[in-house]
Amino acid sequence: MLSFLDKLVAWVLTGFLAILTIFFNMYLLLINQRNYRKSAKHRLNPADFIITAISLASISLQVLTYLWQTLDVIDTVCRISLAGAILLVLIFSVKFIIFWSTAFLTFYYGTKLVVEPVHCYTRIQEAIVKHVHTALAVIVVSGFANCVPLLSVLTYYNGTTSGLSDCGSIMPTDMTGLAYVFYYVIISDIVPGIIMVKCSISISYHLAKHLLDMKASSNGAHGPKLGTQMRVIKMTLSLVVVFVIFVIVDIFTQMTVVLMRQNTLALTILFASIYTTVSALVLVYGKKSYWKELIASYNLFLDEYPCLSSMKVEEVKTEPHEHSHGH
């Protein structure tokens, strides 16, 4: 069980993580907005469009998680527990949107990096990738459609005598409620996880095959192309690793809430905050031009304060043939 002090620590940590997440995601949004304004057709390439959607959802999630943690710490007697329950449903909806959008991003990179022989599955892949905007709209609508029924599962009152219960926690009282929570975990955590792992395996296989082919030809003609692809591959695989670790922790904490009736919901919310922060950092690092610009801005800021010059980071050297991925 979590004590009041544990909840207070989770609240402070969520606030700190919110600052980092909002910073990285605002940076991604501003860069993508600049790319949008610069492009001749005033259009974002599909990868940037998906990243923009993930950034907007991540910022929303951080604001909602911080509000919920604030409510959880302040409202100990559950006076406004319905507000807590509604916030919780919104958090689960936005989390669903982030997970599926991230799975969609790995799926997109999988189709772009891995050339497969044409068959029924690849035709479906192509059709989905051609309609990125529609697919994301479906993800957003599904997020809310799958999570709003959770309101019928949530308990709005302090059911325990210990006074440590979370006011709007997920406590199904019957088999229908329990079945719904299991359905939610499968649809929001496990299914996008399977998609991401499948894509990462095909990307890893493609990379290994490509490296073996290069070794066999030993002329290194594909060097620059692999150099630009390599960063995207690293980013995609890092996103998958971060996601899989988070899903394991998330399922475990949700089970402690639902099955063991513990007040560990604050931990579930905290882990969601950690996930959005780490994935935002991975997305920024994944695009060399973005990372280079961020480091340059950071060093420029430190130039204003000579006493902080020891904190400077070495700038990334631009490679020849460097170009943005995702086109």
Side-chain angles (χ1 to χ4, degrees), residues 102 106 193 196-197 200 204 233-248 275 278 282:
T102 309
T106 46
M196 288 176 85
V197 170
S200 68
S204 304
I233 291 166
K234 278 182 187 170
M235 178 189 86
T236 312
L237 297 180
S238 302
L239 276 176
V240 175
V241 170
V242 170
F243 182 84
V244 168
I245 293 168
F246 173 74
V247 161
I248 293 164
Y275 172 77
V278 177
V282 171

Side-chain angles (χ1 to χ4, degrees), residues 149-192:
L150 272 171
L151 274 172
S152 61
V153 171
L154 298 165
T155 47
Y156 310 136
Y157 52 88
N158 188 342
T160 62
T161 49
S162 65
L164 287 172
S165 168
D166 296 313
C167 298
S169 56
I170 323 162
M171 297 289 185
T173 47
D174 55 5
M175 279 308 291
T176 315
L178 198 63
Y180 189 79
V181 171
F182 276 105
Y183 161 77
Y184 171 77
V185 169
I186 290 164
I187 201 83
S188 79
D189 288 16
I190 296 167
V191 177

Side-chain angles (χ1 to χ4, degrees), residues 2-307:
L2 295 181
S3 66
F4 179 74
L5 185 66
D6 294 333
K7 289 187 174 190
L8 203 61
V9 170
W11 182 39
V12 171
L13 279 173
T14 304
F16 173 69
L17 290 164
I19 295 164
L20 286 176
T21 304
I22 290 168
F23 170 76
F24 286 123
N25 284 300
M26 281 304 292
Y27 176 73
L28 281 167
L29 286 174
L30 289 168
I31 296 268
N32 282 341
Q33 199 232 356
R34 189 182 68 192
N35 291 347
Y36 172 82
R37 288 218 319 270
K38 273 185 179 175
S39 68
K41 290 182 182 175
H42 279 296
R43 284 183 73 178
L44 282 175
N45 69 57
D48 285 346
F49 188 78
I50 300 167
I51 290 170
T52 301
I54 294 170
S55 296
L56 287 168
S58 296
I59 291 169
S60 310
L61 184 72
Q62 279 295 9
V63 171
L64 291 167
T65 53
Y66 191 71
L67 285 172
W68 187 88
Q69 295 274 31
T70 307
L71 209 62
D72 195 42
V73 170
I74 292 169
D75 186 28
T76 49
V77 288
C78 297
R79 280 207 183 92
I80 43 173
S81 52
L82 181 62
I86 292 167
L87 273 176
L88 203 59
V89 166
L90 288 172
I91 287 167
F92 283 126
S93 302
V94 177
K95 204 168 77 166
F96 179 101
I97 293 164
I98 292 170
F99 286 1
W100 274 95
S101 301
T102 309
F104 188 35
L105 186 68
T106 46
F107 173 82
Y108 174 79
Y109 282 139
T111 56
K112 289 289 163 189
L113 293 166
V114 183
V115 180
E116 291 179 9
V118 177
H119 49 74
C120 183
Y121 175 68
T122 47
R123 285 210 184 96
I124 295 166
Q125 274 185 327
E126 280 167 23
I128 295 169
V129 167
K130 271 180 191 167
H131 301 94
V132 171
H133 301 73
T134 314
L136 276 171
V138 168
I139 288 170
V140 172
V141 171
S142 304
F144 290 102
N146 279 296
C147 299
V148 170
L150 272 171
L151 274 172
S152 61
V153 171
L154 298 165
T155 47
Y156 310 136
Y157 52 88
N158 188 342
T160 62
T161 49
S162 65
L164 287 172
S165 168
D166 296 313
C167 298
S169 56
I170 323 162
M171 297 289 185
T173 47
D174 55 5
M175 279 308 291
T176 315
L178 198 63
Y180 189 79
V181 171
F182 276 105
Y183 161 77
Y184 171 77
V185 169
I186 290 164
I187 201 83
S188 79
D189 288 16
I190 296 167
V191 177
I194 291 167
I195 293 169
M196 288 176 85
V197 170
K198 187 263 165 200
C199 292
S200 68
I201 290 167
S202 61
I203 289 169
S204 304
Y205 173 74
H206 155 81
L207 175 65
K209 195 165 170 285
H210 198 83
L211 289 172
L212 284 169
D213 290 348
M214 276 174 65
K215 209 171 181 183
S217 64
S218 73
N219 60 7
H222 298 294
K225 186 160 193 283
L226 190 70
T228 53
Q229 275 193 349
M230 199 66 185
R231 206 170 177 101
V232 188
I233 291 166
K234 278 182 187 170
M235 178 189 86
T236 312
L237 297 180
S238 302
L239 276 176
V240 175
V241 170
V242 170
F243 182 84
V244 168
I245 293 168
F246 173 74
V247 161
I248 293 164
V249 175
D250 189 47
I251 290 172
F252 176 74
T253 47
Q254 284 195 41
M255 288 308 110
T256 61
V257 174
V258 175
L259 300 179
M260 299 174 202
R261 305 269 158 171
Q262 291 184 8
N263 66 337
T264 46
L265 207 54
L267 284 180
T268 306
I269 305 296
L270 176 65
F271 292 134
S273 292
I274 294 169
Y275 172 77
T276 50
T277 308
V278 177
S279 60
L281 183 61
V282 171
L283 286 171
V284 174
Y285 184 75
K287 284 205 168 188
K288 192 161 188 177
S289 56
Y290 288 17
W291 185 250
K292 189 171 173 284
E293 202 171 322
L294 183 66
I295 298 294
S297 306
Y298 170 75
N299 288 338
L300 207 64
F301 169 73
L302 291 183
D303 283 342
E304 299 290 317
Y305 307 95
C307 57

